[in-house]
Amino acid sequence: MKLRLHNSLTRRVEDFVPLDPNRVTMYVCGPTVYNYVHIGNARPYVVFGLLARLLRRLYPNVIYARNITDVDDKINAAAAEAGVPIATITDRYAADFRADMARLGVDAPDVEPHATAHISHIIAMIEQLIASGHAYAAEGHVLFDVASFPDYGKLSGRSTDEMIAGARVEVAPYKKNPADFVLWKPSTPELPGWDSPWGRGRPGWHIECSAMSEAHLGETIDIHAGGNDLLFPHHENEVAQSTCAHGGKIFARYWLHNGMLSLEGRKMSKSLGNTFRLHELLEQHPAELLRYMLMKAHYRQPLDWSASALEQARRTLDGWYTTLRDLHAGARKSGASAAHELPEEFLAALMDDLNTPEALAILSRLADAARKAQTPEARDAAVDALLAAGNFLGLLQADPESWFQGATADSSLDEAQVQQLVDARQAAKKAKNFTEADRLRAQLLELGIVVEDTPQGPRWKRAA
Ligand code: AMP
Ligand code: ZN
């Protein structure tokens, strides 16, 4: 059985053949951390996290990188408004992002590079682009010279005119060509900046991903993924930068893009004010319901979020849990099913360009088969297959009783244990060990405990 993936570069579904099966590499563009993520942002991390899980099953060594964009003009604006350094904003929202991902059961990346930790790498890459005639410095800026790369526009399939219109590129006196894009820009004294050969400044967004991908995965990577809103200009520009900095070597061999999530038929966007924050949805619904919603459409298709779709998803999950409860199958979960082989047709669906709607339909068929089984052996086999397949998708992890009671799987967790973790997190914060504090917060969230920092100190409660 072969893994087949849709490659935006060729606009076809192709066999996935890694460059080196002993070192499979994937880079997924991560969030810009200046606010809470919305449910649309979670889609690429759920679906490409599932792809990482599948790749790990197929290959012995997978390196999955998902970055954090922690320097950006939106971050600068948020920090200026709050009157704090950018790190105060980015540390907070990066920690919240990680915790929300953990609650949603999203596969963690192997590396999580931060842009601000790669400034020297970024500068070196820009210097390489200047030296090879693909970039030029002008008035404190460094620009990529689009005319120097004949393949510009190939990934997104756009003409130069379309690209100029689509990118709303700024016409500036220091640009040779309006389509040239910024690699480095000057910072005023109030803005975050780093010393560089072109003066104190900060990197453009696109070069950050090129540099982080090179630093952690190498010059040519197997898979690069993100939402299809990133196809142009972000990914087109990444291709231009990386290919030119590496003497023409191919940058990413397979480009994967997820479709956009809309809300009750309208584009979900912060400016329209119609976004659902992931962390709020996680307070209102079981994480499995949100995962189910994000997997029920094929990842390349648009996906509409609506109250009626949520209700329908809930009914499906309730049906599966009813089957498990009626067949007293919950208790079998940890033993038999964890080791159970994934059903062949289920795996085949996922291998077919991550066909999650088909994979979910197979779960329904297995639940049906379990209910209608004529012998205890047939029933157990169907239940085990259902639990194994559910487990792979991050579904059907709860005890059926607690699913219907709406309780967390860990309600047995005792208070002293929770308090210990909360205290340890507080101590880490005091010691300014924020990585450890974030880790503890994520661990608590995984146990279904939400910690709130109040002027009186941390308070905790069990998640809804
Ligand atoms: P950002 O922080 O805006 O760069 O977005 C993080 C990720 O979420 C990127 O991969 C985007 O393509 C993706 N994304 C943003 N909005 C949506 C949406 N409405 N539906 C699906 N994916 C989205
Ligand atoms: Zn990126």
Side-chain angles (χ1 to χ4, degrees), residues 27 29 67 205 209 224 234-235 238:
Y27 185 96
C29 289
N67 72 289
W205 171 36
C209 281
H224 195 313
H234 186 53
H235 290 163
E238 280 190 49

Side-chain angles (χ1 to χ4, degrees), residues 229-434:
D229 57 330
L230 301 185
L231 188 56
F232 185 83
H234 186 53
H235 290 163
E236 192 71 60
N237 292 354
E238 280 190 49
V239 173
Q241 296 159 161
S242 297
T243 311
C244 294
H246 301 145
K249 257 188 225 157
I250 183 159
F251 170 38
R253 302 170 61 246
Y254 298 84
W255 282 90
L256 271 62
H257 290 98
N258 66 271
M260 289 294 103
L261 199 125
S262 54
L263 187 57
E264 307 272 357
R266 290 174 74 212
K267 182 176 181 242
M268 192 181 281
S269 97
K270 288 193 192 112
S271 54
L272 291 173
N274 66 334
T275 60
F276 275 139
R277 288 174 169 178
L278 174 59
H279 81 110
E280 284 165 0
L281 286 174
L282 281 165
E283 301 287 321
Q284 295 155 12
H285 307 285
E288 287 191 5
L289 181 61
L290 307 183
R291 277 188 76 83
Y292 178 97
M293 286 286 285
L294 292 171
M295 292 188 290
K296 82 185 171 80
H298 186 260
Y299 75 91
R300 283 195 280 128
Q301 298 303 316
L303 169 58
D304 192 42
W305 196 272
S306 67
S308 62
L310 257 176
E311 247 168 63
Q312 204 186 337
R314 176 88 207 200
R315 274 200 296 276
T316 303
L317 277 165
D318 280 355
W320 295 345
Y321 273 112
T322 303
T323 301
L324 294 178
R325 186 179 58 186
D326 293 351
L327 302 180
H328 304 287
R332 297 177 53 82
K333 186 178 151 211
S334 45
S337 67
H340 194 278
E341 272 300 298
L342 290 177
E344 183 121 339
E345 56 167 355
F346 172 81
L347 201 53
L350 294 179
M351 297 284 270
D352 177 18
D353 195 26
L354 224 55
N355 190 343
T356 52
E358 175 59 19
L360 292 168
I362 291 168
L363 260 69
S364 284
R365 294 208 284 275
L366 288 168
D368 249 10
R371 267 196 305 273
K372 292 180 185 148
Q374 300 292 324
T375 64
E377 293 75 26
R379 184 198 62 202
D380 289 352
V383 165
D384 284 348
L386 172 64
L387 287 170
N391 182 55
F392 195 79
L393 297 177
L395 302 176
L396 302 178
Q397 310 276 291
D399 173 68
E401 286 305 330
S402 50
W403 171 264
F404 289 107
Q405 287 160 3
T408 66
D410 293 275
S411 48
S412 58
L413 198 71
D414 80 44
E415 295 199 3
Q417 248 178 318
V418 174
Q419 197 56 50
Q420 230 173 18
L421 287 166
V422 172
D423 292 346
R425 173 177 169 267
Q426 193 62 6
K429 274 181 64 178
K430 271 221 178 95
K432 298 213 181 312
N433 184 350
F434 297 112

Side-chain angles (χ1 to χ4, degrees), residues 78-97:
E81 197 181 310
V84 295
I86 57 166
T88 308
I89 300 283
T90 57
D91 283 351
R92 172 181 172 192
Y93 289 111
D96 281 323
F97 171 72

Side-chain angles (χ1 to χ4, degrees), residues 29-292:
C29 289
T32 305
V33 284
Y34 66 100
N35 205 333
Y36 293 109
V37 295
H38 60 66
I39 185 68
N41 298 129
R43 190 179 193 192
Y45 310 127
V46 167
V47 297
F48 300 127
L50 185 64
L51 176 59
R53 200 177 287 192
L54 191 58
L55 289 169
R56 287 193 183 113
R57 200 188 146 87
L58 302 172
Y59 299 99
N61 180 27
V62 175
I63 314 178
Y64 166 28
R66 187 185 71 202
N67 72 289
I68 295 280
T69 299
D70 61 351
V71 52
D72 171 272
D73 288 347
K74 289 187 221 108
I75 297 173
N76 298 343
E81 197 181 310
V84 295
I86 57 166
T88 308
I89 300 283
T90 57
D91 283 351
R92 172 181 172 192
Y93 289 111
D96 281 323
F97 171 72
R98 262 178 236 123
D100 287 349
M101 290 298 112
R103 284 169 80 187
L104 195 54
V106 165
D107 303 70
D110 301 291
V111 256
E112 192 196 57
H114 286 52
T116 53
H118 292 77
I119 300 292
S120 57
H121 221 104
I122 291 169
I123 292 176
M125 199 177 219
I126 297 176
E127 284 182 315
Q128 227 159 356
L129 288 169
I130 295 178
S132 55
H134 292 287
Y136 57 94
E139 297 180 28
H141 294 73
V142 181
L143 292 131
F144 185 89
D145 184 355
V146 165
S148 76
F149 183 53
D151 279 349
Y152 194 68
K154 198 171 153 196
L155 174 65
S156 56
R158 292 177 193 223
S159 69
T160 314
D161 287 349
E162 281 173 321
M163 287 188 285
I164 292 173
R168 288 188 218 96
V169 288
E170 207 187 327
V171 183
Y174 48 81
K175 281 189 183 181
K176 285 194 202 166
N177 179 327
D180 293 352
F181 58 88
V182 165
L183 302 173
W184 189 264
K185 52 191 163 189
S187 289
T188 55
E190 319 79 70
L191 284 172
W194 290 264
D195 289 330
S196 83
W198 318 286
R200 184 174 172 279
R202 59 198 195 280
W205 171 36
H206 318 303
I207 193 76
E208 297 174 0
C209 281
S210 281
M212 288 186 275
S213 170
E214 180 199 76
H216 295 277
L217 304 179
E219 295 189 344
T220 296
I221 64 174
D222 289 310
I223 299 173
H224 195 313
N228 65 15
D229 57 330
L230 301 185
L231 188 56
F232 185 83
H234 186 53
H235 290 163
E236 192 71 60
N237 292 354
E238 280 190 49
V239 173
Q241 296 159 161
S242 297
T243 311
C244 294
H246 301 145
K249 257 188 225 157
I250 183 159
F251 170 38
R253 302 170 61 246
Y254 298 84
W255 282 90
L256 271 62
H257 290 98
N258 66 271
M260 289 294 103
L261 199 125
S262 54
L263 187 57
E264 307 272 357
R266 290 174 74 212
K267 182 176 181 242
M268 192 181 281
S269 97
K270 288 193 192 112
S271 54
L272 291 173
N274 66 334
T275 60
F276 275 139
R277 288 174 169 178
L278 174 59
H279 81 110
E280 284 165 0
L281 286 174
L282 281 165
E283 301 287 321
Q284 295 155 12
H285 307 285
E288 287 191 5
L289 181 61
L290 307 183
R291 277 188 76 83
Y292 178 97

